[in-house]
């Protein structure tokens, strides 16, 4: 028996997300009295793979095959299904990001394993296996019972955190076993953002809504973000208007994020916006209207004009960083 | 003078090439002329509705709830119709499918009014993603759809699962987080997003595309004529196949209440930063 965790890499490096997943898997494995195996697909150096051991993985299965360079949902599913059988996994854990969403549901059918997606806590019980899952876009949480012998969980990012549990791990290179795993997905061209803090990775997010009035006012918000080392986000009308790029749109129909700190500037707090940000650990709102619903979700609030408040915040951050 | 055999070889090569081209064009035309698109539709409470948990704790109180087509599915239907209209007849039909009880007929009628050619309702409670996907997969293999569109997430169950599951049941390709679909000389090109970038890919049909933001700008609204036309369009009711769900909901809980907001005077905004640093310890 084991808990198998899928650890995604970006250009050969693991991110916080993968370490959080291994930390989570380690706690799940404790509940089941078993150990964690991590599977990694892609060219990741031995020292990088070894890092997964710091968070409690005891076995690391590395598959470095040129055929799997492009994500092919079918091929990845077959590879992970085979690894899962080899590791005798009873729980499989994925990130609830686009990659997890691409693979986990297919695997669910292939292994006849019930899926609990977007879980934000450890399983509530192991008999019957019950997870705590977000539903109705954060307006209700379900106790979901998974009745199959194998279960698949996708973890909401930043909901569990990282815990170090150093473990002496064994790395097994299974590349040759999957030399023929060619997929049907043909890559035509790709684009990567570089140098920017990714919204989904950020610990701090500064976000603007229609109350910012004009794209010309954004530099004040971006300045605060850069002093805080934060990513920038926005509401849907702001990205629809083309004031900001659509990757920044947070909410039910945009990105779902859970940073430690979310600063909402000139945002009313519509339910569809809250659906994407309500899991943030601390929410701050700046709004001229003291009745704006965003204040119901906020821990700290300032009733005031964004363009007057932002420079004061920048000055205070500079003071603190001194 | 070259020997006649030379001409013969040249000709036969040319002929082979010619037949190959004809065969490929034939295939492309086939795809182009007969493409059938299926749009999966989930029917959910209006996203502005307050969600109350029912007395049995295992369900949502549906009193007063307005039911709508899941936002993603409305957008994928819109995009499917746009593709059909610009395909000069190559896309034959856009069908919508929903797994659900008779109470969802009004939302299906709305999909027809927006422009879908016909609708299929699999007459069953959609107990879980596995059950739902199995029902859709059954209809896809029966009716041979070429492209299946699904939303990346239903706003009620937030499963992000049905689309991928349909593809695996059918053992066909799936592409997830698709933000654009276009057709270029018989090939369907999909743009998919990942953390930190996007890429254009192709997969052979039949396939499932799981769509997200970007796929269409605004959902199409039913016109008066659309509403009239919808009356004569069929909603076919199919009985479900027997499939055991893998999961069930034991109970619902409301999210934890927020502690309440501490207000800071705008004139003294700098205090906020101190509190975030010393009290909340988030910067
Ligand atoms: C199906 C569906 C899905 C949706 N999905 C999303 C989604 O994913 N994400 C999303 O964000 N929205 C989404 N929406 C839209 C959502 O309903 C709201 O319309 C939107 O979030 C409002 O954006 P806003 O707060 O920027 O603008 P507004 O609601 O216009 O709010 C602007 C706020 O700024 C304040 N303000 C004005 N002037 C100032 C000033 N000088 N200084 C400070 N504050 C000021 C105002 O008091 C007001 O509260 C969706 C809607 C639908 C129907
Ligand atoms: N009952 C249903 N009938 C048809 N399609 C569905 C149903 N439920 C979900 N889907 C499709 O699957 C997508 C993702 O749903 P989910 O897996 O529940 O998040 C939705 O956007 C729909 O396209």
């Amino acid at each position: 028996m084991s808990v198998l965790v899928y650890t995604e890499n970006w250009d050969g490096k693991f991110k916080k997300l993968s370490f959080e997943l291994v930390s989570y898997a380690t706690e799940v494995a404790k509940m089941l009295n078993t150990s964690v195996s991590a599977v990694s697909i892609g060219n990741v150096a031995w020292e990088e793979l070894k890092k997964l051991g710091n968070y409690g993985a005891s076995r690391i299965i590395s598959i470095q095959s040129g055929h799997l360079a492009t994500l092919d949902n079918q091929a990845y599913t077959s590879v992970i299904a085979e690894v899962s059988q080899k590791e005798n996994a009873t729980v499989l854990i994925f990130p609830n990001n686009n990659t997890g969403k691409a693979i986990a549901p297919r695997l669910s059918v292939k292994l006849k394993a019930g899926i609990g997606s977007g879980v934000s806590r450890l399983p509530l019980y192991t008999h019957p296996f019950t997870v705590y899952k977000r539903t109705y876009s954060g307006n209700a949480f379900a106790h979901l019972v998974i009745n199959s012998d194998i279960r698949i969980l996708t973890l909401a990012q930043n909901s569990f955190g990282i815990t170090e549990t150093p473990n002496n791990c064994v790395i097994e290179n299974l590349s040759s076993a999957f030399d023929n795993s060619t997929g049907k997905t043909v890559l035509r061209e790709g684009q990567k953002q570089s140098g920017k803090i990714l919204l989904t990775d950020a610990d701090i997010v500064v976000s603007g809504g229609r109350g910012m009035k004009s794209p010309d006012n954004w530099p004040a918000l971006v300045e605060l973000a850069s002093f805080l080392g934060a990513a920038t986000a926005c509401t849907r009308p702001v990205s629809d208007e083309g004031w900001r790029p659509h990757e920044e749109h947070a909410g039910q129909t945009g990105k779902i994020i859970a940073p430690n700190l979310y600063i909402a500037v000139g945002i009313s707090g519509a339910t569809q916006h809250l659906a994407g940000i309500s899991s943030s650990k601390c929410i701050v709102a700046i709004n001229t209207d003291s009745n704006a619903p965003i204040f119901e979700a906020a821990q700290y609030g300032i009733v005031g004009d964004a363009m007057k408040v932002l420079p004061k915040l920048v000055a205070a951050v500079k003071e603190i960083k001194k | 003078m070259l020997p006649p055999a030379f001409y013969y070889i040249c000709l036969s090569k040319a002929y082979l090439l010619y037949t190959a081209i004809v065969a490929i064009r034939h295939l492309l035309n086939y795809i182009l002329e007969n493409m059938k698109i299926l749009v999966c539709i989930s029917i959910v409470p209006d996203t502005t509705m307050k969600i109350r948990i029912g007395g049995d704790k295992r369900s949502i109180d549906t009193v007063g709830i307005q039911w709508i087509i899941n936002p993603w599915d409305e957008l994928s239907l819109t995009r499917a119709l746009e593709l059909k209209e610009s395909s000069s007849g190559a896309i034959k039909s856009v069908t919508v499918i929903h797994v659900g009880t008779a109470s969802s007929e009004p939302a299906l009628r709305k999909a027809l009014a927006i422009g879908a050619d016909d609708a299929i309702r699999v007459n069953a409670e959609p107990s879980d993603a596995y059950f739902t996907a199995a029902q859709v997969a059954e209809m896809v293999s029966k009716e041979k759809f070429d492209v299946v569109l699904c939303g990346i997430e239903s706003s009620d169950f937030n499963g992000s699962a049905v689309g991928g599951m349909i593809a695996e049941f059918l053992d066909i390709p799936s592409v997830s987080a698709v933000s654009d679909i276009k057709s270029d000389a018989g090939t369907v090109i999909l743009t998919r997003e990942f953390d930190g970038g996007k890429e254009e890919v192709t997969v052979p049909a039949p396939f499932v595309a799981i769509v997200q933001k970007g796929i269409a700008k605004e959902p199409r609204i039913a016109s008066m004529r659309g509403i009239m036309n919808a009356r004569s369009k069929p909603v076919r009711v199919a009985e479900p196949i027997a499939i055991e769900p893998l999961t069930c909901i034991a109970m619902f809980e409301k999210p934890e209440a927020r502690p309440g907001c501490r207000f800071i005077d705008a004139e003294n905004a700098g205090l906020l930063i101190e509190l975030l640093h010393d009290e909340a310890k988030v910067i």
Side-chain angles (χ1 to χ4, degrees):
Chain A
M1 213 167 83
S2 76
V3 171
L4 184 72
V5 53
Y6 174 73
T7 45
E8 190 175 6
N9 74 84
W10 283 263
D11 298 326
K13 294 274 180 270
F14 294 121
K15 284 203 236 173
K16 210 175 72 183
L17 165 73
S18 300
F19 302 138
E20 181 181 28
L21 280 177
V22 178
S23 305
Y24 180 81
T26 302
E27 286 304 312
V28 175
K30 269 190 207 154
M31 292 175 75
L32 297 168
N33 257 320
T34 175
S35 60
V36 175
S37 302
V39 55
S40 160
I41 301 179
N43 288 334
V44 184
W46 193 82
E47 306 83 71
E48 187 71 13
L49 290 167
K50 197 91 185 137
K51 284 186 189 164
L52 300 175
N54 295 342
Y55 307 94
S58 48
R59 284 171 52 71
I60 291 150
I61 293 97
S62 168
I63 297 151
Q64 321 212 358
S65 155
H67 292 303
L68 295 168
T70 298
L71 170 64
D72 179 88
N73 300 352
Q74 256 175 316
Y76 272 52
T77 300
S78 303
V79 168
I80 298 169
E82 234 177 277
V83 173
S84 154
Q85 272 145 12
K86 206 171 151 283
E87 297 296 308
N88 196 9
T90 53
V91 178
L92 285 81
I93 296 172
F94 286 83
N96 191 35
N97 66 1
N98 285 351
T99 314
K101 289 175 185 179
I103 310 168
R106 296 198 70 124
L107 211 47
S108 165
V109 171
K110 193 161 197 100
L111 300 175
K112 216 166 183 250
I115 190 167
S117 38
V119 301
S120 54
R121 292 187 186 173
L122 285 173
L124 301 170
Y125 321 103
T126 50
H127 297 285
F129 199 91
T130 309
V131 296
Y132 185 79
K133 153 181 202 339
R134 173 177 176 274
T135 57
Y136 294 91
S137 304
N139 289 306
F141 286 80
H143 292 198
L144 184 79
V145 179
I146 306 179
N147 292 313
S148 48
D149 297 335
I150 303 175
R151 301 100 183 181
I152 299 179
L153 310 183
T154 72
L155 181 67
Q157 196 167 340
N158 218 1
S159 61
F160 188 72
I162 294 177
T163 38
E164 294 201 21
T165 325
N167 207 343
N168 255 336
C169 61
V170 186
I171 301 177
E172 193 174 336
N173 189 328
L174 272 190
S175 307
S176 56
F178 297 104
D179 267 352
N180 298 319
S181 306
T182 312
K184 293 183 192 135
T185 307
V186 179
L187 179 65
R188 286 167 55 102
E189 60 173 65
Q191 279 170 22
K192 269 188 195 152
Q193 289 176 12
S194 54
K196 251 179 98 179
I197 302 173
L198 288 182
L199 187 48
T200 42
D201 285 348
D203 287 327
I204 304 178
V205 173
V206 184
S207 182
R210 217 146 39 179
M212 287 291 291
K213 296 280 168 36
S214 147
D216 303 336
N217 290 333
W218 243 266
L221 186 151
V222 174
E223 191 183 16
L224 177 63
S226 69
F227 279 110
L228 288 171
T232 48
C234 67
T235 61
R236 182 163 109 169
V238 165
S239 70
D240 282 353
E241 291 287 336
W243 292 4
R244 298 296 294 171
H246 87 84
E247 303 87 56
E248 288 196 0
H249 160 193
Q252 187 182 339
T253 47
K255 293 213 164 69
I256 295 169
I257 53 175
N260 292 333
L261 173 60
Y262 184 79
I263 304 182
V265 189
I267 292 177
S268 59
T271 51
Q272 296 98 345
H273 184 74
L274 294 179
I277 60 111
S278 62
S279 300
S280 308
K281 307 269 163 359
C282 176
I283 297 174
V284 171
I286 299 160
N287 196 306
T288 41
D289 174 7
S290 63
N291 291 321
I294 187 76
F295 287 120
E296 283 161 36
Q299 188 175 340
Y300 299 102
I302 296 181
V303 179
D305 181 350
M307 294 321 290
K308 297 210 177 96
V309 172
L310 283 171
K312 290 199 172 118
L313 298 182
V314 170
V317 173
K318 280 189 191 155
E319 200 54 41
I320 267 187
K321 300 260 151 142
K322 256 190 201 157
Chain B
M1 270 293 274
L2 289 161
F6 178 81
Y7 291 102
Y8 178 74
I9 291 168
C10 281
L11 272 175
S12 66
K13 281 222 169 122
Y15 180 72
L16 270 179
L17 195 67
Y18 172 75
T19 43
I21 289 171
V22 169
I24 290 169
R25 291 191 61 182
H26 213 78
L27 200 72
L28 285 180
N29 281 342
Y30 174 79
I31 297 171
L32 272 174
E33 278 169 17
N34 289 287
M35 188 139 94
K36 285 168 68 182
I37 302 183
L38 182 70
V39 179
C40 300
I41 292 215
S42 161
I43 293 168
V44 299
D46 185 331
T47 50
T48 53
M49 291 262 139
K50 220 167 172 64
I51 299 298
R52 292 176 313 263
I53 293 168
D56 63 353
K57 291 246 196 311
R58 304 167 77 123
S59 62
I60 291 302
D61 181 357
T62 53
V63 176
I65 286 207
Q66 293 263 19
W67 297 94
I68 60 163
I69 299 174
N70 186 41
W72 298 123
D73 305 339
E74 217 177 5
L75 290 174
S76 66
L77 174 60
T78 301
R79 187 65 191 139
L81 295 171
E82 287 168 3
L83 284 170
K84 183 185 162 201
E85 285 152 9
S86 61
S87 75
S88 9
I91 296 172
K92 194 168 102 186
S93 60
V94 174
T95 303
V96 294
I97 186 167
H98 171 68
V99 180
T101 56
S103 62
S104 42
E105 297 256 329
L108 281 177
R109 284 272 157 221
K110 188 179 164 204
L112 293 174
I114 292 171
D117 296 299
D118 63 339
I120 304 171
R121 181 171 66 82
V122 180
N123 187 25
E125 200 64 60
S127 346
D128 78 343
Y130 185 80
F131 175 89
T132 305
Q135 306 304 332
V136 176
E138 174 71 13
M139 294 310 293
V140 175
S141 65
K142 257 195 190 149
E143 304 205 356
K144 307 264 174 292
F145 290 97
D146 303 284
V147 175
V148 180
L149 301 182
C150 259
I152 196 157
E153 185 180 74
S154 59
S155 72
D156 54 356
F157 191 64
N158 300 148
S160 294
V162 170
M165 286 181 171
I166 295 171
E168 188 65 30
F169 271 119
L170 295 165
D171 199 19
I172 61 175
S174 60
V175 178
S176 189
V178 171
S179 60
D180 191 25
I181 302 180
K182 54 188 185 217
S183 163
D184 176 23
T187 327
V188 180
I189 301 166
L190 307 170
T191 304
R192 70 171 166 196
E193 311 256 335
F194 52 87
D195 285 346
K198 55 181 169 187
E199 56 195 19
E200 276 186 11
V201 299
T202 58
V203 285
F207 63 81
V208 179
I210 299 153
V211 313
Q212 64 148 48
K213 180 181 161 66
I215 195 72
K217 235 179 141 40
E218 285 289 325
R220 190 175 283 197
I221 298 166
S223 64
M224 207 52 218
R225 210 169 117 229
I227 296 170
M228 300 299 285
N229 283 347
R231 296 203 184 137
S232 59
K233 290 179 184 171
V235 175
R236 291 180 278 143
V237 179
E239 286 310 312
I241 55 167
I243 283 277
E244 205 51 50
L246 299 178
T247 63
C248 65
I249 290 175
M251 66 176 275
F252 281 109
E253 252 178 56
K254 287 303 277 179
E256 274 168 33
R258 291 262 170 189
C261 185
R262 168 161 177 192
F263 284 95
I264 294 136
D265 183 24
E267 291 307 317
N268 195 14
L271 175 63
L272 170 69
I273 301 298
E274 278 171 43
L275 289 171
L276 293 176
H277 187 265
D278 302 335
E279 190 179 89
K281 298 192 173 28
V282 285
I283 58 176

